[in-house]
Amino acid sequence: MSNYHIKNLEEYYQVYRKSVRDPETFWEEVAEEHFVWRKRWNRVLHWDFTKPEIKWFEGAELNITENCIDRHLATRGDKTAILFEPNDPNEKAQHISYKELRRKVCQFANVLKEKGIQKGDRVCIYLPMIPELAYAVLACARIGAIHSVVFAGFSASALATRINDSECKMVITSDGSFRGNKTIDLKGIVDEALESCPSVTSVLVAKRTQTTIAMKAGRDYWLEPLMEVAYKDYVPEVMDAEDPLFILYTSGSTGMPKGMVHTTGGYMVYTAYTFKNVFQYRENDIFWCTADIGWITGHSYILYGPLANGATTVLFEGVPSYPDFGRFWQIIEKHKITQFYTAPTAIRALAKEKLDYVEAYDLSSLKVLGTVGEPINEEAWHWYNDNVGKGKTPIVDTWWQTETGGIMISPIPFATPTIPTFATLPLPGIQPCLVDEDNLEINGSPANGKLCIKFPWPSMARSIWGNHQRFRDTYFSTFENKYFTGDGALRDNTGYYRITGRVDDVIIVSGHNLGTAPIEDAVNEHPAVAESAIVGFPHDVKGNALYGYVILKETGEVRNHDNLRKEINQLITEKIGPIAKLEKIQFTPGLPKTRSGKIMRRILRKIAHKDTSDLGDTSTLLNPEVVEDIIKNAL
Ligand code: WTA
């Protein structure tokens, strides 16, 4: 029986039981089988969820890039590691071999060193999906610097917040980025952000769009000339298994984004293991995950997981709608993609277009399809299954989080019978449970509750950068001795899990996690706004969209509401990014509040959902009359 390439459901249960009965032996076997360790661990696992303190492979030493690159050179030196598909289909794709990847990463590592970056320093990476992004991430890992990739769709202000939170010493960016028919001035955004980032001493700029940009003397350097003269070898820094590998920010229900800290050894073992298992990866497959490396999906399943397996991984710069809605399918045909991993929001957007776009291409290379990021609705699942998978290709609906580092609940292709909208069964080593309103674990099925995980797994986040207390409060204090996911789920009679969505104030819009608090803060900064509350409502392409209730200041002045809506969204774009724009904005004289002054979001959510049949008891509100007014004027 192999821990990988599980062939049928019975074998899955055998492996699963083994992993739960003796997790340490299970993960030790996986860790021994596949990786290069410079020093072996003293202890597989140490954990205490009350602190919380989690350590995997303690005492072990390694460098993750040695495992993702160097180790493959003997057998796969000329194999394509990264297949870069540019935004413009007329620009040639680049096949970057493992040998070449090593050279680029080593040169980049030397550039970082020359600019004074040391082990443990934080480096912010704000780049489009171009090969330099992969080189930058891996170069940081090679020298032991902690990378913090910020999605290049975030605004200057959001970028500055993230740079300052982890006191990054350097920013790596490009002159600009191509997205569909748009060119975005990335360097301009960085310049604006850096006006308020005292920790940054240098900026490396990759050339992509040839846009004319300002270069600040003594701070900004073009990457290319530095790479050209850099030495082509770099001995990987030896890291402890528990040394931080990266920080990645994710939205919380309140306050600042949370800089999730992931460490080296466990993250490597788990992403490599799940990549191979969930996608049933075989040598010579061509794997394509359409996420951006700015999100955890890109970290784990464009870079680290596939490269640790010596796979060929596709890096796509563009968007699904350019030059037309057939772009994804054209790329699948062109590169003979075997595993395709995307988000429900992309599927819904493409399902709205003519079927001709899909039917024009030969998709017969596909073996496994995947989705991630939000619940997939039944209609989208069937469209994906029928038109992309032609009814023959298993779909893995993978549930996981930035915090979990890797896929947690997912079918295993060809072994787990799939049911649309169900993420199905926990992967080996993962022990989920459901918890009820009284904080008690629900035994038996069917059941509906809050989703928790009872036992550590190797790639779980270890902390929130600079705020371990918040890590404890957010994830480990709601339910004793359990990691709380923030998601609700139900479990059917066969033990299959279906994720029903967030149970907190995080809203997933087009697969992006958005906390309502920072958006409300942005709205409230508008001089005409007194107060605001934001909730989510169902949207047929985005999954959820944002509905803002806004109270205007009473100035006696008459304002044009459409102009105000534009200004508010402009402000959100500046403060956070266009992904956080409000779909609907309702101006209202008041918001329903409890006697202690808390906004009753439950009521606002129902109104936004156009479901006002049962608003519950509103008599305890401070201002029950306002509810009628809001319903009457709902959009
Ligand atoms: C949601 C993305 C239903 C969930 C890897 C989770 C999902 C949040 C699924 C994490 C899925 C992710 N089915 N919901 N297959 N996958 N989610 O941190 O609410 O960007 O908590 O990580 O996305 O989003 P994040």
Side-chain angles (χ1 to χ4, degrees):
M1 182 179 63
S2 158
N3 294 332
Y4 300 90
H5 293 144
I6 291 168
K7 284 193 279 308
N8 52 47
L9 199 57
E10 194 184 330
E11 210 174 290
Y12 158 79
Y13 280 116
Q14 279 172 14
V15 175
Y16 184 75
R17 276 195 293 269
K18 179 173 112 180
S19 77
V20 170
R21 207 179 313 124
D22 186 356
E24 296 190 28
T25 307
F26 178 80
W27 289 114
E28 186 160 63
E29 265 178 39
V30 174
E32 271 167 350
E33 209 177 312
H34 287 277
F35 306 95
V36 181
W37 300 90
R38 286 304 180 92
K39 184 168 160 272
R40 204 187 150 82
W41 45 92
N42 309 320
R43 173 159 73 162
V44 178
L45 170 65
H46 163 76
W47 68 293
D48 177 350
F49 275 181
T50 60
K51 284 187 177 148
E53 186 175 79
I54 302 114
K55 291 181 178 167
W56 281 93
F57 309 112
E58 209 181 341
E61 291 177 354
L62 74 155
N63 186 288
I64 197 167
T65 69
E66 188 170 12
N67 283 278
C68 286
I69 307 173
D70 306 56
R71 172 163 74 100
H72 306 307
L73 292 189
T75 52
R76 306 185 180 102
D78 294 319
K79 177 177 173 175
T80 301
I82 295 176
L83 205 176
F84 172 60
E85 175 64 33
N87 177 60
D88 178 353
N90 297 318
E91 188 181 330
K92 239 173 130 244
Q94 277 181 48
H95 293 254
I96 301 151
S97 69
Y98 273 94
K99 236 195 261 167
E100 203 180 335
L101 179 62
R102 182 178 187 283
R103 197 180 67 231
K104 294 284 192 187
V105 169
C106 286
Q107 285 175 308
F108 210 132
N110 282 306
V111 172
L112 294 179
K113 273 292 187 171
E114 193 218 301
K115 292 288 167 236
I117 302 300
Q118 303 292 336
K119 177 174 175 176
D121 285 346
R122 276 80 57 209
V123 173
C124 174
I125 302 176
Y126 186 74
L127 275 170
M129 288 281 284
I130 55 176
E132 285 77 5
L133 171 51
Y135 306 152
V137 165
L138 295 165
C140 285
R142 192 137 182 119
I143 71 167
I146 303 169
H147 56 78
S148 167
V149 184
V150 176
F151 172 60
F154 276 116
S155 70
S157 144
L159 173 63
T161 304
R162 287 159 177 77
I163 292 173
N164 287 331
D165 182 67
S166 47
E167 294 169 295
C168 294
K169 247 173 120 170
M170 174 189 266
V171 177
I172 304 172
T173 188
S174 65
D175 49 358
S177 71
F178 294 127
R179 275 184 80 74
N181 53 19
K182 281 192 257 172
T183 304
I184 297 151
D185 172 21
L186 278 197
K187 177 62 166 50
I189 299 173
V190 170
D191 288 341
E192 195 187 327
L194 292 190
E195 282 170 21
S196 56
C197 299
S199 60
V200 174
T201 52
S202 56
V203 178
L204 297 179
V205 187
K207 205 166 235 163
R208 177 57 184 145
T209 54
Q210 319 288 333
T211 313
T212 314
I213 57 166
M215 295 290 278
K216 188 170 170 185
R219 186 194 73 180
D220 303 349
Y221 304 91
W222 287 106
L223 177 65
E224 227 175 296
L226 295 174
M227 288 279 275
E228 261 164 33
V229 297
Y231 190 51
K232 296 184 178 58
D233 201 359
Y234 189 98
V235 180
E237 191 76 33
V238 176
M239 306 297 287
D240 277 356
E242 281 299 335
D243 276 339
L245 174 64
F246 64 88
I247 300 168
L248 186 59
Y249 286 88
T250 187
S251 303
S253 9
T254 53
M256 280 276 299
K258 299 170 286 189
M260 304 313 306
V261 179
H262 281 281
T263 59
T264 310
Y267 177 81
M268 171 182 78
V269 168
Y270 194 78
T271 52
Y273 175 75
T274 50
F275 172 74
K276 196 162 169 181
N277 232 341
V278 172
F279 299 105
Q280 290 292 294
Y281 168 75
R282 308 270 168 170
E283 191 72 44
N284 301 326
D285 282 350
I286 312 281
F287 178 83
W288 181 21
C289 164
T290 69
D292 193 288
I293 293 175
W295 311 116
I296 191 69
T297 308
H299 279 60
S300 302
Y301 300 107
I302 295 179
L303 294 180
Y304 289 115
L307 296 177
N309 281 283
T312 299
T313 180
V314 174
L315 187 73
F316 175 46
E317 183 185 29
V319 294
S321 54
Y322 177 82
D324 62 43
F325 291 97
R327 183 66 162 134
F328 273 4
W329 324 126
Q330 180 252 335
I331 295 174
I332 293 175
E333 178 184 279
K334 178 177 175 190
H335 296 301
K336 298 197 170 43
I337 302 295
T338 45
Q339 288 95 345
F340 177 66
Y341 190 29
T342 195
T345 184
I347 298 168
R348 287 190 297 263
L350 295 172
K352 279 186 102 117
E353 302 302 326
K354 285 197 299 277
L355 262 187
D356 303 7
Y357 286 119
V358 196
E359 286 171 351
Y361 299 100
D362 175 9
L363 307 181
S364 60
S365 56
L366 289 170
K367 297 196 290 189
V368 176
L369 297 175
T371 79
V372 59
E374 59 185 310
I376 180 161
N377 51 307
E378 195 143 356
E379 207 182 334
W381 193 96
H382 284 296
W383 187 88
Y384 198 31
N385 184 56
D386 298 349
N387 300 301
V388 182
K390 316 288 179 200
K392 290 185 301 214
T393 316
I395 297 179
V396 291
D397 175 356
T398 64
W399 173 83
W400 58 296
Q401 309 178 293
T402 304
E403 295 84 339
T404 70
I407 300 169
M408 303 287 279
I409 302 182
S410 168
I412 291 177
F414 311 104
T416 318
T418 58
I419 302 180
T421 76
F422 279 78
T424 76
L425 297 166
L427 293 183
I430 304 307
Q431 303 188 34
C433 66
L434 296 177
V435 182
D436 68 15
E437 291 304 320
D438 301 319
N439 294 355
L440 295 173
E441 186 178 336
I442 312 170
N443 293 307
S445 300
N448 192 345
K450 292 179 180 164
L451 182 64
C452 294
I453 317 284
K454 293 196 283 191
F455 194 86
W457 62 100
S459 67
M460 66 189 297
R462 305 296 198 256
S463 192
I464 290 174
W465 184 264
N467 199 344
H468 196 67
Q469 185 61 37
R470 188 175 179 200
F471 184 60
R472 184 170 181 271
D473 293 347
T474 311
Y475 305 104
F476 297 92
S477 63
T478 319
F479 305 107
E480 203 186 344
N481 239 355
K482 293 182 179 66
Y483 164 81
F484 174 43
T485 65
D487 281 329
L490 47 92
R491 185 170 57 216
D492 75 3
N493 287 325
T494 48
Y496 274 23
Y497 285 88
R498 175 185 179 165
I499 314 302
T500 48
R502 303 288 312 178
V503 294
D504 55 13
D505 284 330
V506 172
I507 303 172
I508 304 186
V509 179
S510 298
H512 302 312
N513 288 8
L514 299 172
T516 49
I519 311 176
E520 287 166 5
D521 289 347
V523 174
N524 297 348
E525 279 190 32
H526 190 286
V529 172
E531 200 181 354
S532 63
I534 290 165
V535 297
F537 71 100
H539 184 282
D540 61 356
V541 171
K542 299 177 179 177
N544 295 294
L546 301 177
Y547 193 123
Y549 297 91
V550 175
I551 307 178
L552 293 176
K553 284 182 186 154
E554 284 178 33
T555 56
E557 192 188 341
V558 182
R559 300 286 308 250
N560 176 312
H561 281 185
D562 283 338
N563 285 348
L564 272 178
R565 288 190 178 98
K566 277 195 203 117
E567 285 169 27
I568 288 171
N569 270 330
Q570 183 53 34
L571 201 56
I572 294 174
T573 305
E574 279 162 27
K575 296 283 165 193
I576 298 159
I579 52 177
K581 279 205 243 179
L582 306 181
E583 188 85 12
K584 294 183 180 176
I585 299 177
Q586 177 177 356
F587 295 104
T588 167
L591 292 166
K593 290 197 177 161
T594 62
R595 291 189 189 273
S596 59
K598 262 184 92 168
I599 299 172
M600 286 276 270
R601 286 168 194 278
R602 184 177 54 76
I603 293 177
L604 296 176
R605 233 175 260 134
K606 284 212 148 198
I607 298 173
H609 280 65
K610 297 201 182 328
D611 166 21
T612 50
S613 53
D614 175 23
L615 289 180
D617 183 10
T618 55
S619 65
T620 56
L621 290 176
L622 204 56
N623 49 353
E625 71 290 346
V626 83
V627 176
E628 274 313 308
D629 185 276
I630 295 178
I631 294 176
K632 202 166 71 215
N633 295 305
L635 300 171

